[in-house]
């Protein structure tokens, strides 16, 4: 130590300055060079590893999207009406049009897909297979049923069958039942994805030719690989003692040596299927970039050019700084705390802006599409009183609802013959009628009032009418508009409506009270009759039966019904009901009078060891209170109650054969529009077709087929006369396979075609 101090002390000052200059110059450069080499190598290695992981994620993402796309396509095909109908009808020459529709539906789905696949539609009951696959990849019906039996899917769940070269099966198969609600009993839809297509798809996901890419199942068998020879084999990457069914992402080693070459193994389990994605890459290829960077770094450290490299790096960083700041702020506004993306910042920023614009456009379109439903939903909440004044004002301003004014009235437009309306029009037809009536009401009221409508229940439309105070004339203008609504409905539709309107009230929260008032007013239809405009202010007393003959008349009606004299009972019922409006003003009192009649009838039936509720198979009093007009009460008593009682009392005299044929006739009346036959009806009633045919002929004088044809033709004639339903829809409703068959049958029965009959009816 003393010698070193002596050596330093003895060196001249000039030499000492040079030594210190060299030390200060070379020392930091060596430290920076070593640190830079080490940090740069580690960073590049981390980037390579991240790229490797990104490749796995991308592979999984793309493959998952492919499988999801196949599932979505299979669901669309399985729920396609043409495929469902074809499976139910079965393949035949008679169903050629249906087969063409199936082919067109499959072709359309194949053309929309970005990935090539083939489709097979298996008809298990006919052992027939419609397929777009080649002869080499064609799947027979027996093979399809065998694969379904082997896979044992849970009810109607979809499943995939992997390629199996040993069994000469090179396609990835996706199975799904048709119709979707069945469990592979009616039809089987199979999507074929060729292994070669999967290989091309897998090859396109990675540009590296040194890496080996595998997609394997849980047992380690290769599903897809760049080398088709590997497909179906089992990977030999397991460590010693690993079970054959172990999870690959946990059992595979990180490094693997084969023939003296080290490989790095990366794997990731699929989140969508029971698969694993594996990339096997030579370790040298992964470290090549870091080794090169280390060599370049030391080369730069060896020369003065390192200074310019630092300057260049610093300068480029400063030039890029504004872009980085903008991108960072954009990401922070969407996802606070998210890391800045690597790569080209300008492209990332452009992609971000484009995504925001597209999302905004989609949200605007969705809001526009949902606006009518939002309006109806909000009006329902207003009618039910579920929101405060502030909440209502906020919703109206946010969704720009056409509700103006501070005085509000609620009107209810209700179909008079409600049961007939529900029975005559199916749900789809009722929806169209409701929509048309709402638009008509809004047009009639929109000129003078702020108007918003909604369907409160089938056959009933609630109308919210708003005005500003001080305008005057509402009491005169509103009744005229309500009368216009009734007249317009009766003009354009084959039914009438009654309109009940509340008085005008102030504020949004009063709308609920107005709705309740309108509902109460609507009950006056029972005494006022159908096609009425009911406003607040019409006095309605409780009323009593002022005629002393009503009690005797009710008992006389019951006596006639018990003895089977329905004509006399109906005549006296008309006398009773016709006198109710003159003697009773209250709807409750009128209903009570009819309830007394039912009580007398129930009492008489009790004496005959029978109950009225058993005869009607329903609660008689609930049925009574469900009627909305006096006419409905009359029709219900004369058309349902009295005949039901007579049938029950006459049951002892009716033979089993007569009852059975009557049940068949009732069944045909309910199911005439379905695709039924003598065989199906015989199975429904558990008798032989020949026995049913003989009984039907004896009781009705007509054969089964002649009666069914006559019933359907008269149903078609009624639709042609009273509706604007297209002839094709009528043919479909009556279960004809096409319009031609329906037209031929109609012309043979009536002597003229459906189109000519409708034209002649309209001209008259």
């Amino acid at each position: 130590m003393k010698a070193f101090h002596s050596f330093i002390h003895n060196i001249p000052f000039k030499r000492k300055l040079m030594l210190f200059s060299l030390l200060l110059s070379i020392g930091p450069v060596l430290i920076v060079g070593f640190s830079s080499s080490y940090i740069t190598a580690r960073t590049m290695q981390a980037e390579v590893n991240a790229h490797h992981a990104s490749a796995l994620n991308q592979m999984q993402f793309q493959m998952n999207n492919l499988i999801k796309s196949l599932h979505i396509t299979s669901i669309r095909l399985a729920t396609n009406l043409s495929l469902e109908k074809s499976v139910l009808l079965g393949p035949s020459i008679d169903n050629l049009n249906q087969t063409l529709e199936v082919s067109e539906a499959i072709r359309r789905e194949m053309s929309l897909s970005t990935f090539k696949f083939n489709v097979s539609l298996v008809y298990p009951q006919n052992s027939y297979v419609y397929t777009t696959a080649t002869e080499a990849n064609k799947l027979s019906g027996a093979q399809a049923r065998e694969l379904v039996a082997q896979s044992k899917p849970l009810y109607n769940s979809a499943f995939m069958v992997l390629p199996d070269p040993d069994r000469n099966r090179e396609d990835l198969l996706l199975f799904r039942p048709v119709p979707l609600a069945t469990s592979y009993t009616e039809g089987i839809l199979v999507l074929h994805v060729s292994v070669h297509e999967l290989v091309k798809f897998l090859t396109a996901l990675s540009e590296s030719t040194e890496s080996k890419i595998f997609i394997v199942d849980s047992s380690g068998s290769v599903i897809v690989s760049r080398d088709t020879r590997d497909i179906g084999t089992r990977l030999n990457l397991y460590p010693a003692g690993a079970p054959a069914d172990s999870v690959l992402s946990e059992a595979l080693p990180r490094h693997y040596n084969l023939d003296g070459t080290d490989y790095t193994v990366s794997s990731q389990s699929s989140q969508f299927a029971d698969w694993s994605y594996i990339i096997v890459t030579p370790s040298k290829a992964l470290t090549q970039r870091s080794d090169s960077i280390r060599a370049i770094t030391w080369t730069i450290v060896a020369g003065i050019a390192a200074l310019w490299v630092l300057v260049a790096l610093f300068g480029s960083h400063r030039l890029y700084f504004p872009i980085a700041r903008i991108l960072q702020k954009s990401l922070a506004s969407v996802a606070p705390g998210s890391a800045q993306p690597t790569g080209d910042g300008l492209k990332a920023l452009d992609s971000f802006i484009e995504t925001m614009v597209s999302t905004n456009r989609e949200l605007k379109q969705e809001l526009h599409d949902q606006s009518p439903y939002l309006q109806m939903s909000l009006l329902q909440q207003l009618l039910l009183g579920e929101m405060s004044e502030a909440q209502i004002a906020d919703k109206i301003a946010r969704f720009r609802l056409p509700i103006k004014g501070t005085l509000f009235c609620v009107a209810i437009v209700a179909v008079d013959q409600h049961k007939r309306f529900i029975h005559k029009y199916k749900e789809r037809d009722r929806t169209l009628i409701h929509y048309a009536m709402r638009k008509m009401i809004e047009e009639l009221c929109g000129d003078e009032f702020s108007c918003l409508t909604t369907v409160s229940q089938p056959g009933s439309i609630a109308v919210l009418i708003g005005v500003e105070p001080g305008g005057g004339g509402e009491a005169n203008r509103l009744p005229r508009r309500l009368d216009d609504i009734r007249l317009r409905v009766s003009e354009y539709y084959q039914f009438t409506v009654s309109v009940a309107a509340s008085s005008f009230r102030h504020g949004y929260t009063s709308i609920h009270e107005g709705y309740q008032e309108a509902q109460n007013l609507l009950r006056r239809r029972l005494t006022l009759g159908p096609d009425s405009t009911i406003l607040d202010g019409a006095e309605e007393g409780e009323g009593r039966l002022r005629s002393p003959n009503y009690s005797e008349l009710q008992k006389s009606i019951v006596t006639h019904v018990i003895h089977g004299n329905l004509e006399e009972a109906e005549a006296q019922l008309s006398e009773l009901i016709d006198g109710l409006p003159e003697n009773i003003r209250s709807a409750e009192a009128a209903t009570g009078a009819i309830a007394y009649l039912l009580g007398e009838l129930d009492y008489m039936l009790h004496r005959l060891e029978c109950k009225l509720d058993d005869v009607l198979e329903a609660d008689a009093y609930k049925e009574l209170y469900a009627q909305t007009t006096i006419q409905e009460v009359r029709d219900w008593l004369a058309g349902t109650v009295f005949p039901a009682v007579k049938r029950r009392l006459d049951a002892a005299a009716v033979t089993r054969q007569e009852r059975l044929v009557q049940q068949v006739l009732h069944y045909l009346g309910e199911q005439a529009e379905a695709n039924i036959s003598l065989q199906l009806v015989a199975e429904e009633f558990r008798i032989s077709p020949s026995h049913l045919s003989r009984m039907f002929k004896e009781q009705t004088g007509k054969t089964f087929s002649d009666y069914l044809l006559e019933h359907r033709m008269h149903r078609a004639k009624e639709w042609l006369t009273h509706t604007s339903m297209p002839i094709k829809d009528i043919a479909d409703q009556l279960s004809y396979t096409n319009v031609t068959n329906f037209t031929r049958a109609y012309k043979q029965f009536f002597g003229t075609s459906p189109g000519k009959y409708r034209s002649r009816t309209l001209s008259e």
Side-chain angles (χ1 to χ4, degrees):
M1 193 67 173
K2 292 182 179 180
F4 178 75
H5 282 291
S6 178
F7 175 76
I8 295 297
H9 180 73
N10 293 328
I11 295 176
F13 179 76
K14 184 177 182 180
R15 181 75 55 86
K16 189 181 295 186
L17 181 60
M18 182 184 65
L19 291 175
F20 276 102
S21 298
L22 289 174
L23 180 62
L24 292 175
S25 301
I26 297 175
V29 170
L30 291 176
I31 294 174
V32 171
F34 178 79
S35 302
S36 176
S37 175
Y38 177 78
I39 294 173
T40 304
R42 288 290 301 271
T43 302
M44 292 304 299
Q45 187 62 44
E47 182 180 348
V48 170
N49 294 337
H51 179 72
H52 224 219
S54 176
L56 280 172
N57 289 331
Q58 180 68 12
M59 185 191 311
Q60 177 180 233
F61 177 78
Q62 295 293 343
M63 288 300 295
N64 284 351
N65 280 348
L66 169 63
I67 300 303
K68 288 180 182 178
S69 176
L70 289 175
H71 276 283
I72 292 172
T73 300
S74 69
I75 291 173
R76 285 202 300 262
L77 286 173
T79 56
N80 185 279
L81 295 179
S82 299
L83 270 70
E84 291 183 355
K85 193 171 183 180
S86 176
V87 166
L88 296 175
L89 294 178
S92 68
I93 298 300
D94 297 335
N95 299 328
L96 180 58
N97 290 337
Q98 191 64 40
T99 303
L100 293 176
E101 292 179 4
V102 169
S103 176
E104 176 62 21
I106 293 175
R107 183 197 65 77
R108 183 168 59 251
E109 290 294 338
M110 292 175 65
S111 65
L112 293 175
S113 176
T114 58
F115 195 84
K116 294 183 180 179
F117 61 88
N118 287 302
V119 179
S120 292
L121 183 59
V122 182
Y123 300 78
Q125 298 178 356
N126 305 89
S127 297
Y128 173 76
V129 179
Y130 170 83
T131 183
T132 63
T134 61
E135 189 65 29
N137 298 327
K138 186 176 180 181
L139 186 68
S140 67
Q143 290 174 326
R145 292 193 298 273
E146 180 182 359
L147 291 173
V148 171
Q150 291 175 354
S151 301
K152 298 179 180 179
L154 182 61
Y155 186 52
N156 66 336
S157 61
F159 66 93
M160 288 191 294
V161 178
L162 304 178
D164 191 352
D166 294 337
R167 298 186 181 181
N168 198 26
R169 188 172 63 244
E170 298 183 355
D171 290 345
L172 176 68
L173 305 178
L174 175 62
F175 283 72
R176 192 172 290 279
V178 180
L180 198 59
T182 61
S183 55
Y184 295 91
T185 56
E186 303 296 334
I188 303 173
L189 176 68
V190 185
L191 268 60
H192 304 246
V193 181
S194 172
V195 168
H196 301 289
E197 291 295 327
L198 292 174
V199 170
K200 288 195 298 183
F201 182 79
L202 189 62
T203 303
L205 293 179
S206 176
E207 299 177 357
S208 174
T209 58
E210 297 178 342
S211 301
K212 296 182 179 181
I213 303 177
F214 305 98
I215 301 178
V216 299
D217 60 13
S218 59
S219 65
S221 297
V222 178
I223 302 171
V224 184
S225 173
R226 286 179 172 177
D227 190 350
T228 56
R229 294 174 297 180
D230 295 331
I231 297 176
T233 64
R234 192 170 185 272
L235 287 181
N236 58 353
L237 301 179
Y238 292 102
D245 58 348
S246 59
V247 181
L248 289 176
S249 60
E250 299 176 358
L252 287 175
R254 177 63 179 168
H255 299 283
Y256 180 76
N257 186 279
L258 178 64
D259 299 332
T261 303
D262 291 328
Y263 291 86
T264 299
V265 181
S266 299
S267 64
Q268 186 169 343
S269 298
S270 173
Q271 299 176 356
F272 189 77
D274 192 15
W275 297 352
S276 293
Y277 303 89
I278 302 173
I279 297 181
V280 180
T281 308
S283 300
K284 184 178 179 180
L286 296 177
T287 60
Q288 184 177 2
R289 293 183 64 187
S290 61
D291 293 341
S292 300
I293 293 296
R294 186 181 291 108
I296 293 172
T297 302
W298 280 109
T299 301
I300 294 174
V301 170
I304 197 67
L307 178 62
W308 299 108
V309 173
L310 295 175
V311 173
L313 291 174
F314 180 77
S316 62
H317 176 73
R318 295 302 301 174
L319 290 174
Y320 182 74
F321 183 73
I323 297 175
R325 286 293 302 276
I326 295 174
L327 184 60
Q328 183 178 7
K329 290 181 179 180
S330 300
L331 291 177
S333 64
V334 177
S338 59
Q340 182 172 335
T342 59
D344 191 343
L346 284 174
K347 289 184 178 180
L349 185 60
D350 179 70
S351 176
F352 169 78
I353 295 175
E354 185 177 353
T355 302
M356 292 294 291
V357 171
S358 177
T359 303
N360 186 49
R361 187 185 303 113
E362 292 175 359
L363 289 174
K364 285 184 177 179
Q365 182 62 39
E366 184 176 355
L367 181 60
H368 179 269
D369 295 339
Q370 296 297 324
S371 179
Y373 302 102
L374 291 173
Q375 292 182 8
M376 293 182 63
S377 176
L378 178 58
L379 183 52
Q380 291 279 6
Q381 291 177 299
L382 288 173
L383 296 176
L384 298 176
E386 297 177 350
M387 293 186 294
S388 64
E389 191 88 13
Q391 290 175 327
I392 297 172
D394 177 66
K395 291 289 183 67
I396 291 175
R398 183 187 304 176
F399 299 111
R400 301 178 181 177
L401 299 181
I403 302 178
K404 300 178 181 178
T406 56
L407 293 177
F408 299 100
C409 164
V410 178
I412 298 178
V413 181
V415 175
D416 289 322
Q417 301 293 336
H418 185 264
K419 288 188 176 180
R420 186 179 301 174
F421 174 80
I422 297 298
H423 178 74
K424 184 175 183 179
Y425 299 103
K426 304 300 180 183
E427 183 175 357
R428 182 180 62 180
D429 297 330
R430 292 200 301 268
T431 302
L432 295 176
I433 292 173
H434 290 154
Y435 177 79
M437 289 178 62
R438 287 179 54 236
K439 292 301 179 183
M440 180 187 69
I441 293 170
E442 291 174 359
E443 290 179 2
L444 289 174
C445 298
D447 295 339
E448 299 182 81
F449 306 100
S450 167
C451 178
L452 189 62
T453 62
T454 186
V455 179
S456 55
Q457 61 182 5
S460 181
I461 297 175
V463 186
L464 176 62
I465 299 173
V467 296
E468 291 291 349
E474 292 86 359
N476 296 325
R477 290 183 289 141
L478 182 59
R480 289 200 301 269
R481 286 302 180 204
L482 299 181
D483 289 338
D484 291 341
I485 292 173
R486 289 191 303 100
L487 295 176
R488 190 70 64 88
V489 169
S490 62
E491 179 181 356
Y492 288 103
Y493 300 97
Q494 298 177 2
F495 54 81
T496 60
V497 296
S498 291
V499 184
S502 70
S503 58
F504 281 93
R505 288 178 167 85
H506 186 275
Y508 295 123
T509 54
S510 67
I511 294 175
H512 173 58
E513 298 176 2
Y515 180 59
Q516 291 181 320
E517 179 185 349
Q519 287 180 313
N520 293 331
L521 290 173
L522 190 62
R523 296 177 58 190
R524 299 183 185 177
R525 247 189 325 181
L526 191 63
T527 54
L528 295 178
D531 198 12
S532 303
T533 299
I534 309 170
L535 300 174
D536 184 39
E539 294 298 330
E540 183 180 31
E542 288 298 324
R544 289 187 177 182
L545 293 174
R546 292 201 293 260
S547 174
N549 297 324
Y550 269 126
S551 177
E552 297 180 3
L553 188 59
Q554 290 166 334
K555 293 180 179 180
S556 177
I557 293 172
V558 172
T559 301
H560 283 306
V561 172
I562 295 298
H563 289 85
N565 303 323
L566 297 189
E567 293 184 0
E568 291 82 354
E570 292 176 10
Q572 291 185 348
L573 175 66
S574 298
E575 180 183 350
L576 173 67
I577 289 181
D578 290 342
L580 287 179
E582 299 177 1
N583 297 282
I584 298 178
R585 294 183 180 180
S586 168
E588 288 77 5
T591 306
I594 304 300
Y596 179 81
L597 175 63
L598 291 178
E600 288 288 331
L601 184 59
D602 193 26
Y603 172 74
M604 294 298 296
L605 288 174
H606 267 291
R607 297 179 61 182
L608 298 174
E609 298 182 353
C610 186
K611 294 182 179 180
L612 182 59
D613 289 350
D614 294 338
V615 173
L616 298 178
E617 297 181 355
D619 189 323
Y621 295 98
K622 286 186 178 180
E623 291 290 320
L624 170 63
Y625 289 114
Q627 313 304 315
T628 57
T629 64
I630 287 292
Q631 184 60 41
E632 286 188 3
V633 173
R634 185 202 308 266
D635 295 342
W636 175 66
L637 289 172
T640 301
V641 178
F642 294 170
V645 172
K646 185 179 185 302
R647 285 194 300 270
R648 174 58 66 89
L649 297 178
D650 293 344
V654 179
T655 65
R656 180 180 181 278
Q657 176 172 311
E658 290 173 336
R659 291 199 303 271
L660 182 60
V661 172
Q662 289 298 323
Q663 292 173 359
V664 171
L665 291 175
H666 179 71
Y667 177 83
L668 292 179
E670 295 292 331
Q671 304 291 333
E673 299 175 20
N675 188 13
I676 60 176
S677 63
L678 179 65
Q679 179 68 35
L680 292 176
V681 176
E683 292 176 358
E684 176 71 19
F685 290 90
R686 299 181 181 179
I687 58 175
S688 67
S690 59
H691 186 47
L692 175 60
S693 177
R694 179 182 56 79
M695 288 194 304
F696 196 93
K697 177 70 174 178
E698 291 176 357
Q699 293 297 321
T700 65
K702 300 177 183 178
T703 65
F704 179 90
S705 58
D706 289 341
Y707 179 87
L708 183 60
L709 176 63
E710 179 181 355
H711 188 79
R712 285 178 170 174
M713 290 300 102
H714 282 92
R715 182 70 61 86
K717 184 177 181 181
E718 181 181 357
W719 285 338
L720 290 170
T721 304
H722 300 292
T723 71
S724 60
M725 186 186 303
I727 295 177
K728 182 179 183 304
D729 292 347
I730 295 177
D732 291 340
Q733 289 285 343
L734 296 177
S735 301
Y736 282 89
T737 56
N738 53 60
V739 177
T740 303
N741 291 343
F742 167 70
T743 303
R744 185 186 302 113
Y746 190 91
K747 187 172 183 180
Q748 289 177 353
F749 191 87
F750 288 109
T752 183
S753 66
K756 290 183 179 179
Y757 175 79
R758 172 171 279 175
S759 299
R760 187 172 67 250
T761 304
L762 292 176
S763 63
E764 294 176 355

